[in-house]
Amino acid sequence: MRNKKTMLLSLLVFVLVGCGESTSEKEVSKSENSDSVVVALQQGSEPAEGLNPIYGWGTGTNPLIQSTLVEFDSKFNIVNDLATSYENIDDGYTWNFTIRDDATFTDGKPVTVDDVKFTFDQAMQSDSLVDLTNVKDVSIESNKKVMIKLKKPQRTFLNAVATLGIVPEHAYDEHYGEKPIGSGPYKFVEWKKGEQIILERNEDYYRDLPDIKQAVFVFMDEDSAYTAAKAGKVDVAVVTPFNVSKEVTGMKLKVLKTQDNRGITMPLSPANSGETEDGYPIGNDVTSELSIRKALAYGIDRKEMAENTVEGYASPAFSENDGTAWNNKEGIIQTDKPKAKKILKDDGWIEGKDGILEKDGKKAEFDMYYVAGDSIREAISNDVVTQAKELGIKVNIIGSNWDDITPKMFSNAVMMGWGSSNPYTSYSLFHSDNKLKTDFYNVEGYDNPVVDQYLEAALAAPTQDEMYENFKKAQWDGKTGTSMLGEVPWIWLLNIDHLYYVNEKLDIGEQPSHIHGASYPVIQNLKEWKWTDSSD
């Protein structure tokens, strides 16, 4: 769990702070070569386990250095990459992949079915972010075909396959992530930890060569990134809503809508409901009250929150998968403060002398943790305090680190972030098999047999449409579900826009929908970037 947690913090969490010395302006050396780009990524977003797909490099986006069997296009459709074809047979239990014969690693060795099997075997044995726990066996059927058998049908399996880069068996060891070899559109050149990563175009790439021949990723805090952008030292810079009002000559502001959401996890059991398998306390007497969760869901004005906290660079969030094909739009609710207050009143909550609601001798008051140093989470948390107070609910916010928050997240509310291109995430977040574990899924302890059935039916669905329909019913079927119409295990708040200063002559292509974290989603389509003569 430790490795998975570390990777979650480094790759997925929108953290704006990090350890180590930042890359200063004078250390950035932008080439005048029009075939190159310098991209300022968030300090602290370096992959803690290296550029190794086995441990999560490229998960949810694209590993760039390594190829995948299949990949996402800009519309998040699955298309072939190393695979020339695939098929799902045996009632969903078996996936067959046929791989191309013209792909080589950057050391000149061919990519073979042995490498594919080796990669999946390694990922299955590791604490990888790529969830392959449902894989039963990987076998080589011929010099071009690999068979993967699952323990149970999983319609979402291709989404995991699409982000697992294939590594070379002959060149893989415990140091692979520090100097990787791959067969992707770019090859590794250099990694100065805490400073920068350099990639160069793979001239032997088996598909169309990218326009950009060299990419330098420098890791900076937001102020340094802005300074570097203003000085013309970088071509792309990740920025926060708090500094986008500053104009940068020669740069344009790119605002991208995302699935990078923020919400509050609310423990669903009363206090003293036992311990997790790791010995952490379970339950909270206030967050376990459905009326409290419902009141906050209806009583928080999300549009007002977006203006108050991120200068309007966000949209209301109503689920973990807003805007996807498997989202149930019936789960969208309107802010209704009178309704929120009526829900509380009808459940017996009455105003105490200090203005805080009370019921059966307990106050409507609970603690909520957020990651200290994350300016966006802190701003949203403060707004929750203000808006909850209008309802008579007192929220005490505590900024801390994940080492401190982890043992407490099963008995306290937490300002979480999520966002995924994989519908399997909904299964991980809400199936009872995943409750109360330290992998950050289902920390609130959601357990609903009806929802379990929908989620299991989604994975076993014979068609994509049937899969989507069952995921939608898991959110809300008219009577129950994971949405804020149902049991409200999460109070969803905002989908955060991703903001970038981009050189006005650099075309960063049609960006696929961005998941959690602003750094790596923007470079996932690096092979489609190009310089233009136009500043539009």
Side-chain angles (χ1 to χ4, degrees):
M1 292 301 179
R2 180 64 186 173
N3 283 341
K4 181 170 287 187
K5 176 185 169 186
T6 302
M7 293 302 292
L8 277 166
L9 297 182
S10 63
L11 289 179
L12 299 180
V13 179
F14 194 101
V15 180
L16 299 180
V17 298
C19 299
E21 184 180 356
S22 65
T23 302
S24 65
E25 182 182 353
K26 66 181 182 182
E27 292 172 307
V28 178
S29 178
K30 182 184 177 316
S31 170
E32 295 301 320
N33 188 336
S34 62
D35 294 330
S36 70
V37 292
V38 180
V39 183
L41 302 180
Q42 294 168 321
Q43 186 182 23
S45 65
E46 281 181 278
E49 305 295 335
L51 311 176
N52 186 347
I54 301 299
Y55 291 101
W57 166 249
T59 298
T61 57
N62 186 300
L64 296 176
I65 301 167
Q66 297 87 3
S67 301
T68 51
L69 289 177
V70 294
E71 64 177 3
F72 298 111
D73 65 13
S74 61
K75 304 295 184 186
F76 261 100
N77 300 307
I78 300 287
V79 297
N80 290 331
D81 186 7
L82 272 177
T84 57
S85 65
Y86 59 85
E87 59 180 349
N88 184 211
I89 59 174
D90 191 22
D91 293 330
Y93 281 88
T94 301
W95 290 84
N96 287 326
F97 295 89
T98 301
I99 72 167
R100 59 196 309 148
D101 57 9
D102 58 347
T104 59
F105 292 107
T106 49
D107 63 357
K109 302 276 181 73
V111 181
T112 69
V113 289
D114 297 282
D115 298 307
V116 175
K117 173 176 168 52
F118 175 79
T119 298
F120 278 82
D121 285 345
Q122 290 292 313
M124 290 163 58
Q125 295 166 15
S126 72
D127 191 18
S128 173
L129 274 178
V130 182
D131 190 345
L132 298 178
T133 53
N134 189 33
V135 176
K136 180 180 179 180
D137 179 61
V138 181
S139 61
I140 295 172
E141 300 301 299
S142 72
N143 63 352
K144 288 186 178 180
K145 183 175 289 187
V146 176
M147 175 186 291
I148 300 177
K149 284 189 172 292
L150 305 180
K151 297 172 186 174
K152 56 184 179 182
Q154 182 181 342
R155 173 60 55 178
T156 61
F157 183 62
L158 281 182
N159 294 72
V161 174
T163 61
L164 179 60
I166 302 302
V167 302
E169 181 177 9
H170 66 273
Y172 189 87
D173 60 21
E174 65 271 25
H175 303 297
Y176 173 81
E178 298 180 2
K179 198 174 181 179
I181 291 172
S183 57
Y186 286 91
K187 66 178 181 180
F188 173 83
V189 176
E190 178 186 77
W191 180 13
K192 291 183 178 179
K193 294 185 179 179
E195 297 182 15
Q196 65 181 21
I197 293 172
I198 299 177
L199 306 182
E200 287 183 354
R201 187 171 73 181
N202 176 9
E203 300 295 338
D204 296 320
Y205 186 47
Y206 48 86
R207 298 171 71 180
D208 294 339
L209 293 180
D211 279 8
I212 302 300
K213 291 183 178 179
Q214 184 188 69
V216 181
F217 307 134
V218 295
F219 298 97
M220 295 179 160
D221 59 44
E222 55 189 278
D223 289 337
S224 297
Y226 169 71
T227 300
K230 189 176 179 181
K233 298 291 186 182
V234 298
D235 301 304
V236 178
V238 180
V239 293
T240 68
F242 311 119
N243 59 13
V244 295
S245 61
K246 305 168 186 175
E247 292 187 4
V248 177
T249 303
M251 307 285 274
K252 56 193 174 187
L253 178 65
K254 193 82 171 179
V255 181
L256 299 174
K257 294 297 180 183
T258 74
Q259 297 166 1
D260 188 355
N261 44 51
R262 300 292 181 275
I264 310 169
T265 52
M266 302 285 279
L268 301 178
S269 301
N272 304 312
S273 292
E275 296 181 342
T276 69
E277 60 186 14
D278 295 308
Y280 303 141
I282 298 171
N284 184 299
D285 282 338
V286 178
T287 65
S288 60
E289 294 273 359
L290 179 60
S291 58
I292 293 288
R293 303 195 303 274
K294 287 264 188 184
L296 289 170
Y298 281 101
I300 290 177
D301 187 326
R302 291 162 179 80
K303 292 183 179 177
E304 177 183 310
M305 175 177 280
E307 294 295 332
N308 291 343
T309 60
V310 288
E311 309 292 337
Y313 288 111
S315 55
F318 301 102
S319 75
E320 75 280 13
N321 55 28
D322 294 336
T324 67
W326 55 97
N327 172 253
N328 189 340
K329 293 182 180 178
E330 292 181 23
I332 296 174
I333 60 175
Q334 301 301 318
T335 303
D336 192 336
K337 293 183 187 292
K339 180 175 182 175
K341 292 180 179 178
K342 185 176 187 303
I343 289 171
L344 292 166
K345 182 180 179 181
D346 289 348
D347 195 40
W349 293 94
I350 58 174
E351 185 173 335
K353 294 180 180 178
D354 55 2
I356 303 173
L357 297 179
E358 298 177 355
K359 187 180 83 168
D360 300 332
K362 64 182 176 185
K363 287 181 174 293
E365 178 179 1
F366 62 89
D367 293 342
M368 182 176 78
Y369 286 80
Y370 69 94
V371 178
D374 184 329
S375 55
I376 292 178
R377 291 192 199 214
E378 182 176 3
I380 295 174
S381 296
N382 276 305
D383 199 70
V384 168
V385 171
T386 300
Q387 296 208 42
K389 185 178 179 181
E390 296 175 13
L391 303 174
I393 300 171
K394 185 178 182 182
V395 181
N396 307 308
I397 59 172
I398 304 168
S400 189
N401 56 57
W402 284 114
D403 285 339
D404 178 51
I405 295 172
T406 298
K408 300 171 180 172
M409 63 186 178
F410 309 101
S411 56
N412 292 277
V414 179
M415 177 61 66
M416 287 281 194
W418 215 268
S420 169
S421 58
N422 190 343
Y424 189 74
T425 296
S426 296
Y427 181 95
S428 300
L429 281 173
F430 297 118
H431 195 280
S432 60
D433 283 352
N434 302 320
K435 69 177 182 179
L436 303 171
K437 298 179 180 178
T438 52
D439 59 3
F440 295 88
Y441 293 111
N442 201 353
V443 299
E444 63 280 1
Y446 187 69
D447 188 341
N448 183 333
V450 175
V451 169
D452 279 356
Q453 289 179 12
Y454 287 135
L455 293 173
E456 291 163 6
L459 296 190
T463 68
Q464 182 170 274
D465 287 344
E466 289 179 69
M467 175 183 72
Y468 290 166
E469 186 59 28
N470 279 289
F471 275 126
K472 291 178 181 178
K473 287 181 177 177
Q475 289 182 280
W476 182 244
D477 68 355
K479 296 179 180 178
T480 189
T482 64
S483 74
M484 291 185 286
L485 295 173
E487 288 73 48
V488 206
W490 279 66
I491 299 168
W492 298 98
L493 299 172
L494 297 176
N495 290 310
I496 307 297
D497 295 347
H498 287 176
L499 309 175
Y500 308 91
Y501 280 129
V502 180
N503 188 305
E504 61 186 9
K505 293 187 178 180
L506 179 63
D507 178 1
I508 60 172
E510 184 178 359
Q511 289 278 314
S513 180
H514 282 204
I515 61 170
H516 197 43
S519 286
Y520 293 97
V522 73
I523 60 173
Q524 62 185 315
N525 69 336
L526 178 64
K527 65 183 179 182
E528 297 172 10
W529 291 17
K530 58 185 178 183
W531 288 100
T532 68
D533 295 329
S534 171
S535 59
D536 295 333

